[in-house]
């Protein structure tokens, strides 16, 4: 049974060092190869490809082998997140062993391949055609002509000058170009569909993206018994429990109709104590409160509340939430927004 190494043992240092100048050379070379792609891409082919995706009456399947397969899966996922519910990845090997049954005559199948000669894809083509699918090839053969393109209904050529791999073999540049191509077309489809922020958010209900586009202040604010409220005539020292027990770091000073008069923070307490000493025992909250605090509406986006808290001249930790009649209905705190994942 092997023994664990001591935590105090430092990892062995590699005798081979990464050359920073070589890194710079590689990044420069990659940029040049990408520029080659951008300047030589046939936009008429790209437009026809995007239009075919937009007009597809059925599902849109993406497929590929190796790194091209990884890119195809990513693009299918991106389109699904943009409101193409029938966008999916079709594994070419699984398709040849039964999964081709998911393809119907109204569907579109996009085949990604750098060489345009992938054996698995060439075997898939007649099967997909027999199912009545519309076939689109996306290839990068050096000649611009390849078996896969000839076998498909629509062919798109992605110009690749060479791979930055020293042997011009590892598909590191071609895969990057495929990804850039697919994601850029996806954004073009967003524009064509006039996808709204709300529609986009509906497809991303979890995570920071969805929350920042969906959550409103009323979804994350404290309300009712959670509110640290007091009247302007209350003595400061009588409200210490209310100030510290609600976890907001402040008091919301209200009148008899729950209209906001101002706010009094724990910072205000420290400053008042320093300035007044024992005189603080006679001071009311109304005498020392801030009568012009930042506030927010319950229907505002939660991310807007965070931006308002962080705005100059100095950040704040909370915002009173007021309705159209200036009535206090809640409070939103920075801690609450962070806890909500924003």
């Amino acid at each position: 049974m092997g023994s664990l190494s001591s935590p105090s043992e430092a990892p062995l240092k590699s005798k081979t060092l990464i050359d920073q100048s070589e890194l710079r050379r590689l990044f420069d070379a990659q940029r040049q190869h990408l520029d080659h792609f951008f300047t030589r891409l046939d936009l008429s082919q790209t437009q026809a490809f995007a239009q075919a995706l937009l007009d597809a009456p059925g599902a849109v399947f993406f497929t590929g082998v190796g790194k091209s397969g990884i890119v195809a899966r990513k693009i299918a996922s991106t389109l699904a997140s943009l409101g193409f519910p029938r966008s999916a990845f079709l594994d070419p090997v699984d398709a040849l062993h039964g999964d081709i049954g998911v393809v119907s005559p109204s569907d579109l199948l996009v085949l990604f391949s750098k060489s345009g000669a992938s054996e698995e894809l060439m075997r898939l083509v007649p099967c997909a055609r027999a199912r009545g699918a519309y076939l689109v090839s996306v290839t990068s053969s050096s000649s611009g002509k390849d078996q896969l393109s000839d076998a498909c209904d629509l062919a798109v050529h992605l110009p690749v000058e060479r791979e930055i791999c020293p042997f011009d073999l590892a598909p590191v540049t071609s895969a990057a170009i495929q990804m850039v191509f697919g994601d850029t077309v996806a954004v073009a489809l967003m524009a064509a569909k006039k996808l709204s922020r709300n529609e986009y958010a509906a497809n991303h209900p979890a995570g920071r993206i969805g929350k920042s586009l969906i959550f409103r202040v009323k979804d994350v604010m404290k309300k009712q018994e959670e509110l640290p409220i007091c009247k302007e005539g209350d003595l400061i020292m009588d409200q210490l429990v209310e100030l510290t027990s609600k976890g907001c770091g402040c008091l919301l000073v209200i009148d008899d109709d729950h209209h906001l008069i101002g706010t009094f923070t724990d910072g205000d307490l420290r400053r008042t104590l320093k300035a007044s000493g024992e005189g603080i025992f006679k001071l009311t909250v109304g005498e020392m409160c801030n009568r012009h605090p930042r506030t927010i509406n319950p229907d505002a986006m939660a991310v807007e509340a965070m931006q308002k808290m962080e705005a100059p001249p100095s950040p704040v930790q909370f915002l009173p939430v007021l309705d159209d009649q200036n009535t206090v209905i809640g409070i939103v705190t920075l801690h609450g927004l962070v806890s909500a994942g924003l």
Side-chain angles (χ1 to χ4, degrees):
M1 188 172 178
S3 60
L4 295 174
S5 59
S6 169
S8 61
E9 292 179 11
L12 293 176
K13 218 170 189 179
S14 173
K15 295 180 180 178
T16 304
L17 299 177
I18 300 296
D19 186 341
Q20 187 173 335
S21 62
E22 175 63 7
L23 275 176
R24 172 52 57 196
R25 185 192 69 79
L26 288 171
F27 279 111
D28 287 343
Q30 187 76 307
R31 183 177 62 232
Q32 291 170 12
H33 296 330
L34 289 173
D35 286 343
H36 174 89
F37 160 73
F38 289 130
T39 57
R40 290 167 175 76
L41 177 66
D42 188 328
L43 287 180
S44 62
Q45 289 183 353
T46 305
Q47 182 185 24
F49 173 69
Q51 196 68 49
L53 295 180
L54 186 64
D55 296 340
V60 178
F61 293 103
F62 293 82
T63 190
V65 180
K67 302 299 184 294
S68 294
I70 294 172
V71 173
R73 187 185 296 273
K74 158 64 170 66
I75 295 170
S77 177
T78 296
L79 285 179
S81 76
L82 298 179
F84 289 81
R86 299 193 64 195
S87 171
F89 176 75
L90 181 66
D91 185 284
V93 176
D94 290 342
L96 293 171
H97 290 273
D99 283 4
I100 191 67
V102 74
V103 177
S104 69
S106 61
D107 296 340
L108 186 148
L109 178 62
V110 182
L111 304 98
F112 276 84
S113 170
K114 178 191 174 183
S115 67
S118 302
E119 181 182 348
E120 296 88 345
L121 298 187
M122 292 307 302
R123 292 171 60 195
L124 178 60
V125 164
C127 302
R129 188 169 292 288
R131 304 285 302 179
Y134 185 82
L135 307 182
V136 181
S137 68
V138 182
T139 64
S140 297
S141 57
S142 56
S143 65
K145 288 288 185 180
D146 52 76
Q147 290 177 281
L148 189 59
S149 296
D150 290 341
C152 290
D153 301 300
L154 174 64
V156 180
H157 180 251
L158 306 184
V160 175
E161 188 174 23
R162 61 157 289 145
E163 308 285 358
I164 60 168
C165 161
F167 312 119
D168 193 19
L169 294 175
V172 287
T173 300
S174 56
I177 285 172
Q178 289 176 335
M179 192 75 79
V180 168
F181 172 80
D183 283 346
T184 304
V185 168
V187 174
L189 293 173
M190 284 179 68
K193 289 187 65 177
K194 295 181 172 57
L195 190 73
S196 70
R197 286 172 64 90
N198 289 338
E199 289 172 326
Y200 182 79
N203 297 328
H204 298 79
R208 191 167 184 179
I209 293 176
K211 290 174 181 177
S212 66
L213 294 174
I214 294 176
F215 279 18
R216 297 185 181 274
V217 168
K218 60 187 176 185
D219 299 320
V220 294
M221 69 182 187
K222 293 186 175 186
K223 46 195 171 184
Q224 297 175 350
E225 291 80 10
E226 299 176 293
L227 299 181
I229 58 176
C230 70
K231 301 295 180 62
E232 64 177 327
D234 293 338
L235 292 174
I236 291 174
M237 300 308 291
D238 290 344
Q239 294 300 317
L240 291 185
V241 173
E242 187 75 3
L243 174 63
T244 57
S245 65
K246 298 295 179 70
C248 298
C250 70
L251 292 169
L252 303 181
V253 188
I254 61 172
D255 63 17
D256 292 338
D257 296 319
H258 261 71
H259 295 145
L260 183 69
I261 294 173
T263 61
F264 184 84
T265 69
D266 48 11
D268 293 328
L269 174 64
R270 289 190 296 272
R271 286 185 288 272
T272 302
L273 182 59
K274 183 177 180 180
S276 304
E278 292 184 4
I280 195 173
F281 288 97
K282 298 179 181 179
L283 292 173
T284 65
V285 179
E287 291 177 276
M288 305 306 296
C289 71
N290 171 19
R291 291 179 177 262
H292 302 284
R294 301 176 203 178
T295 62
I296 198 161
N297 185 276
D299 291 319
M301 302 305 297
V303 69
E304 181 184 334
M306 181 172 284
Q307 293 167 351
K308 202 166 189 177
M309 289 182 195
E310 296 172 343
S314 59
V316 297
Q317 300 293 312
F318 67 91
L319 294 174
V321 183
L322 310 182
D323 64 14
D324 295 335
Q325 285 74 46
N326 196 42
T327 302
V328 175
I329 60 172
I331 185 172
V332 60
T333 66
L334 183 60
H335 180 267
L337 291 173
V338 172
S339 298
L342 291 160

